[in-house]
Amino acid sequence: MKTHISPALRAVFALLVGLAFLLPLYFTLVTSLDTKADIFTFPPHLTFDWQWSVYAKAWSMFRWPMYFANTLLIAGVTIVLALTTSVLAAYALSFVRFRGRTFIFSLILLVLMIPNEAQLIPNYLTLAVVHLTDTYWAQILPYGASVFGIFLLRQFFLSFPKDYWDSVRIDGGGHLQFLWHVVLPQSRPILFTIGLYIFIGSWNSLMWPLMVTQSHHVQPVEVALARFLTGNSVLWRRLSAASVFTTLPVVILFLVFQRYIIRGISRGEGIQG
């Protein structure tokens, strides 16, 4: 039996779910700006005291600019590499006819079902054999191919009318011309979405950089934050301040571009077999 849920009730439910996700961020922000006397009061102190000096102290305790630069470098190169491999793989699986194409795509999808934790040891051993541990490349190469990107792009490529490819062939063009002049310009929203998805994943990555790096000069900001939390476990306000300014770039990026993320994923959902 079909039930009807009023728009007002759905809006209230969505609001409650949103608040549940935002409350931890709000408490972290309040704690970072509170005075020492207010952070352990009961009931909790929910207004800001605007103690901005805590941020200056937390910032001066670590070489945060270096860690931010490392993170941007790792994320930027990963995005370029992953988009390149995703486009080429998705194009071959969509427009080039060869034996075993469906089987290869099924194998690629199987990777989505393997937990990331199960891939840590094989990836580490591979990098150790080629002497790439404790480098930027150790944090880039394992994420240089995106199964999610291949899947999303292939589904979008399959929706292209065959007439486009025929027109390029009649004009004497090949796959490279078709990819560069026809396919890629129309795939920009999806490429943008995949790039943002990879950036957010790279920014929030912690376990893998912790495993493969020991030198501070190649580590990303999430590793620095983990070390800051461990070494300053009693400085609650500074811990909260560091958590806020290391998380804020990703939150702002998501809020600004969330419309493009949803639009890109929606375009990729034109699933055809």
Side-chain angles (χ1 to χ4, degrees):
M1 185 174 65
K2 191 173 183 179
T3 57
H4 176 71
I5 302 176
S6 69
L9 189 59
R10 281 185 289 181
V12 170
F13 179 74
L15 181 63
L16 291 175
V17 172
L19 287 175
F21 280 99
L22 285 176
L23 271 180
L25 289 175
Y26 181 75
F27 276 118
T28 303
L29 188 59
V30 169
T31 303
S32 69
L33 294 171
D34 261 348
T35 61
K36 285 184 180 177
D38 285 336
I39 58 175
F40 291 116
T41 56
F42 186 83
H45 188 234
L46 297 178
T47 57
F48 299 109
D49 287 328
W50 309 112
Q51 300 291 314
W52 293 108
S53 60
V54 176
Y55 280 80
K57 291 175 182 173
W59 183 266
S60 64
M61 293 174 69
F62 260 50
R63 298 173 63 185
W64 294 108
M66 180 188 72
Y67 294 116
F68 275 102
N70 289 342
T71 306
L72 291 174
L73 174 65
I74 294 165
V77 178
T78 303
I79 288 172
V80 172
L81 191 59
L83 285 182
T84 302
T85 55
S86 298
V87 167
L88 294 176
Y91 183 90
L93 293 169
S94 306
F95 295 109
V96 181
R97 300 208 170 272
F98 58 90
R99 184 175 295 178
R101 187 175 66 165
T102 305
F103 176 70
I104 291 174
F105 182 61
S106 301
L107 286 180
I108 292 174
L109 289 184
L110 278 177
V111 177
L112 284 174
M113 304 172 195
I114 301 175
N116 288 332
E117 290 75 10
Q119 304 175 36
L120 293 177
I121 300 301
N123 285 340
Y124 180 85
L125 293 176
T126 303
L127 290 169
V129 168
V130 294
H131 305 291
L132 282 179
T133 54
D134 203 22
T135 64
Y136 290 122
W137 287 112
Q139 302 168 77
I140 294 170
L141 290 178
Y143 302 99
S146 169
V147 176
F148 171 73
I150 294 172
F151 172 77
L152 204 62
L153 284 168
R154 177 183 177 271
Q155 302 312 121
F156 180 65
F157 290 170
L158 288 175
S159 68
F160 269 66
K162 191 174 181 296
D163 295 345
Y164 287 8
W165 169 235
D166 292 337
S167 300
V168 173
R169 280 202 306 175
I170 291 172
D171 292 339
H175 283 293
L176 189 59
Q177 287 81 7
F178 181 55
L179 173 64
W180 187 257
H181 295 293
V182 179
V183 176
L184 286 183
Q186 297 193 44
S187 307
R188 283 174 187 162
I190 295 182
L191 293 175
F192 188 74
T193 300
I194 296 171
L196 278 177
Y197 176 81
I198 295 170
F199 179 84
I200 293 173
S202 180
W203 188 282
N204 292 327
S205 179
L206 173 63
M207 180 67 75
W208 179 247
L210 270 177
M211 279 189 64
V212 296
T213 62
Q214 295 84 39
S215 306
H216 295 176
H217 68 274
V218 298
Q219 289 180 329
V221 71
E222 285 296 322
V223 175
L225 178 62
R227 197 164 59 251
F228 187 85
L229 298 179
T230 305
N232 301 277
S233 57
V234 296
L235 304 174
W236 290 95
R237 295 187 304 153
R238 297 185 193 183
L239 292 176
S240 300
S243 300
V244 169
F245 63 65
T246 54
T247 307
L248 203 56
V250 177
V251 174
I252 293 174
L253 193 72
F254 179 78
L255 291 178
V256 171
F257 295 110
Q258 59 172 318
R259 183 180 304 173
Y260 298 96
I261 295 175
I262 295 171
R263 187 183 304 168
I265 291 177
S266 300
R267 293 192 67 174
E269 284 178 346
I271 298 176
Q272 298 184 14

